[in-house]
Amino acid sequence: MNKLNGKIAIVTGAASGMSKSIAELYTAEGAAVMLADFNLEGAQAVAQELKDKGFKAEAIKVDVANSDDLNEMFKQTINAFGSYDILVNNAGVMDSFEPVGEVTDEN
Ligand SMILES: NC(=O)c1ccc[n+]([C@@H]2O[C@H](COP(=O)([O-])OP(=O)(O)OC[C@H]3O[C@@H](n4cnc5c(N)ncnc54)[C@H](O)[C@@H]3O)[C@@H](O)[C@H]2O)c1
């Protein structure tokens, strides 16, 4: 039984790694997924793989550190799928595990 039939999810960082796997699982469970990543080419490739399997997926270039990008992400998700139900906010980087107060803007 598909657990996410009719649901719409936004998954950040979905060009690779755990978020890519989350997008694959969610679509297999019936969700439509907006794959948001600043690696647009990677996100588009994953979206195409999912579409080729008959799933609903779109890709958008988003830097999750940029609020304009985030507003656009929500707008484009509504344009593509009509709404959204789930946000998986998993984009990120493996850093050098310094305390959060010492993380540089570049990182
Ligand atoms: N892999 C692990 O064992 C592990 C363990 C604990 C926590 N984490 C954390 O989970 C998150 C995902 O890990 P992963 O291993 O899947 O990493 P990954 O590098 O495979 O994937 C991260 C994705 O996020 C995207 N991304 C990075 N910064 C972004 C930004 N500002 N805006 C939009 N997209 C951005 C990258 O392009 C990439 O596609 C990271 O934050 C990581 O620190 C990972």
Side-chain angles (χ1 to χ4, degrees):
M1 191 175 78
N2 290 348
K3 295 176 185 167
L4 297 174
N5 266 346
K7 297 292 183 191
I8 297 153
I10 301 170
V11 182
T12 69
S16 67
M18 291 191 289
S19 292
K20 177 184 175 194
S21 296
I22 290 166
E24 289 167 345
L25 179 62
Y26 276 29
T27 50
E29 288 289 350
V33 174
M34 177 61 83
L35 298 106
D37 202 298
F38 62 19
N39 173 6
L40 179 60
E41 211 172 277
Q44 284 173 329
V46 178
Q48 192 57 53
E49 280 173 30
L50 296 171
K51 285 180 184 176
D52 290 346
K53 292 180 180 169
F55 299 143
K56 288 183 187 165
E58 297 293 339
I60 186 171
K61 183 178 173 71
V62 173
D63 178 352
V64 296
N66 180 314
S67 60
D68 288 341
D69 278 13
L70 291 173
N71 286 332
E72 195 58 26
M73 176 181 80
F74 291 114
K75 268 193 217 159
Q76 291 302 322
T77 304
I78 290 169
N79 285 347
F81 301 124
S83 182
Y84 48 85
D85 305 293
I86 301 165
L87 171 64
V88 180
N89 196 20
N90 194 51
V93 291
M94 290 293 267
D95 56 21
S96 49
F97 297 102
E98 65 268 47
V100 68
E102 295 170 21
V103 176
T104 61
D105 288 345
E106 291 71 26
N107 209 0

